[in-house]
Amino acid sequence: MTQTALVVGASGIVGSAITQLLLDNHWQVAALSRQPSTIPGVIPVAADLQNPASLNQALADLKPTHIFITTWSRQATEAENIRVNAAMVRNVLDAVRPAGSVEHVALVTGLKHYLGPFESYGKGTLPQTPFREEQGRLDIENFYYAQEDEVFAAAAKDGFTWSVHRPHTVTGVAVGNAMNMATTLAVYATICKATSRPFVFPGSRVQWDSLTDMTDARQLAKQQLWAATTPAAANQAFNITNGDVFRWSWMWGQIAEYFGLQPAAFPQAHSPLETQMADDQAVWTKIVAEHGLKESDISRLISPWHSDADLGRPIEVVTDMSKSRAMGFSAFQASDQAFFDVFEKLRAERLIP
């Protein structure tokens, strides 16, 4: 029987990675996003996740066996994050219910499950690192919890299995993505090189010195596919990182070397990217014109607020992956190479020089 996947948020970093992996494994793939997919072999589905009528119409003729939910919408408050993002998950699962075809739903969340939502990120009483899946929810409202609860409720009603995937900072390529550290750092390094500006680490001393980890979107896609096709992994939540650890005091030098820069010493004063890059549109416009690049709107490439949040944390953040390893998931990705692969793809797509 043909396995048919519906990828929700298919144009994002995570969605595009799982879409490609499913295609590589000969799945039939329907890609749902606001802008229809142009990937050969993909069924394009254009719909507004916040509009049930739009979803019902767009998904009426689909009979997906597997659903991969890889998107979210940032709102001004956590209360609104909860309302909007829970509704988007609920709307999708309601829209596919009449088909009665769904066997498994994979939901991508992240380490805010352990660290708290944006309004209280990394504050208060937090679980001990490395974070483990059996650690309970924080005693605070969190849109990730609301998304999970929508999946759990639909699974109980419709009889499908589920998996939840909790990556750390995700690396990959997607223009217009809300959280995109690798591309943000690539644009920052490009600007530093073009203007002879020091390549200054924008984060905290703790992040500079402590061990940490990251998640390549391709690594996350592999775990999603593994969980969706491994019976023992059904109805489980999994952390997902590349499988290595590093310190930013080392990684900053690797990124600098790639771009032909000298890494600046750790700064005496905190230097967030939102401040460093606040007026860089004019510089970027000039770089785009000089090198014939494709995207002149710097805001569609960078997300300084997100990179600052991750790199500015005053606590160590490292993740345990023993659970999925013990169950047979063995994929690995070196984190420095993950960055380099993003940079190479950005160059190949003429997004950086």
Side-chain angles (χ1 to χ4, degrees):
M1 177 177 165
T2 301
Q3 292 172 305
T4 303
L6 172 65
V7 178
V8 182
S11 62
I13 290 175
V14 177
S16 58
I18 186 62
T19 295
Q20 188 58 57
L21 182 62
L22 291 166
L23 289 173
D24 292 345
N25 283 271
H26 311 294
W27 284 50
Q28 186 177 73
V29 182
L32 192 161
S33 61
R34 284 181 176 271
Q35 300 297 323
S37 172
T38 57
I39 300 174
V42 168
I43 302 167
V45 181
D48 181 354
L49 294 176
Q50 298 184 49
N51 185 330
S54 167
L55 274 171
N56 291 339
Q57 182 177 4
L59 299 176
D61 297 327
L62 288 179
K63 297 184 183 297
T65 57
H66 295 70
I67 300 177
F68 299 87
I69 301 175
T70 70
T71 191
W72 70 288
S73 177
R74 188 187 183 198
Q75 305 298 311
T77 66
E78 190 60 18
E80 279 298 288
N81 278 332
I82 290 168
R83 183 187 68 81
V84 170
N85 289 284
M88 293 197 303
V89 172
R90 183 170 62 252
N91 292 342
V92 169
L93 299 180
D94 284 349
V96 298
R97 179 168 293 119
S101 59
V102 178
E103 300 172 8
H104 185 87
V105 172
L107 172 68
V108 176
T109 61
L111 294 197
K112 285 187 288 296
H113 183 94
Y114 307 109
L115 288 163
F118 292 116
E119 292 178 4
S120 55
Y121 190 63
K123 300 175 183 176
T125 303
L126 300 172
Q128 185 181 47
T129 57
F131 298 136
R132 292 180 169 88
E133 295 91 341
E134 64 267 23
Q135 293 166 328
R137 293 179 175 183
L138 300 176
D139 187 20
I140 188 170
E141 295 291 312
N142 189 320
F143 80 89
Y144 282 168
Y145 306 161
Q147 288 182 307
E148 286 184 343
D149 288 343
E150 293 294 342
V151 172
F152 300 160
K157 179 184 292 186
D158 300 333
F160 57 74
T161 60
W162 55 265
S163 58
V164 174
H165 305 267
R166 299 171 186 160
H168 196 169
T169 304
V170 178
T171 56
V173 176
V175 175
N177 200 76
M179 300 190 297
N180 196 337
M181 181 188 288
T183 301
T184 299
L185 294 182
V187 171
Y188 173 57
T190 299
I191 289 172
C192 287
K193 187 170 185 177
T195 61
S196 299
R197 186 189 305 176
F199 188 56
V200 177
F201 183 69
S204 69
R205 186 88 215 189
V206 172
Q207 291 303 302
W208 182 253
D209 290 334
S210 297
L211 290 173
T212 192
D213 46 33
M214 295 190 76
T215 308
D216 189 306
R218 298 167 299 183
Q219 175 83 341
L220 172 53
K222 290 172 184 176
Q223 193 194 61
Q224 289 176 274
L225 180 56
W226 166 80
T229 55
T230 302
N235 304 329
Q236 299 288 332
F238 297 105
N239 293 332
I240 174 62
T241 62
N242 290 334
D244 62 358
V245 293
F246 63 89
R247 289 183 172 87
W248 274 106
S249 56
W250 173 80
M251 185 67 80
W252 200 247
Q254 303 307 300
I255 295 173
E257 183 178 354
Y258 179 92
F259 286 98
L261 296 166
Q262 285 294 322
F266 186 84
Q268 294 297 312
H270 184 45
S271 304
L273 287 175
E274 276 204 296
T275 301
Q276 291 194 59
M277 304 184 76
D279 300 317
D280 279 343
Q281 177 61 68
V283 176
W284 185 249
T285 299
K286 183 178 179 182
I287 292 171
V288 168
E290 288 177 352
H291 296 276
L293 305 181
K294 289 169 59 176
E295 182 54 67
S296 60
D297 184 354
I298 195 172
S299 69
R300 286 179 49 76
L301 296 172
I302 65 172
S303 50
W305 68 272
H306 168 254
S307 298
D308 287 342
D310 276 11
L311 298 176
R313 291 177 295 211
I315 57 172
E316 175 189 71
V317 179
V318 65
T319 313
D320 182 80
M321 271 189 64
S322 299
K323 183 177 179 180
S324 60
R325 293 297 193 216
M327 296 175 70
F329 179 71
S330 60
F332 170 84
Q333 170 63 57
S335 292
D336 55 344
Q337 191 60 51
F339 272 112
F340 302 155
D341 288 350
V342 169
F343 302 156
E344 289 299 319
K345 188 172 182 180
L346 290 170
R347 282 180 166 166
E349 296 185 6
R350 294 177 59 201
L351 293 169
I352 62 171

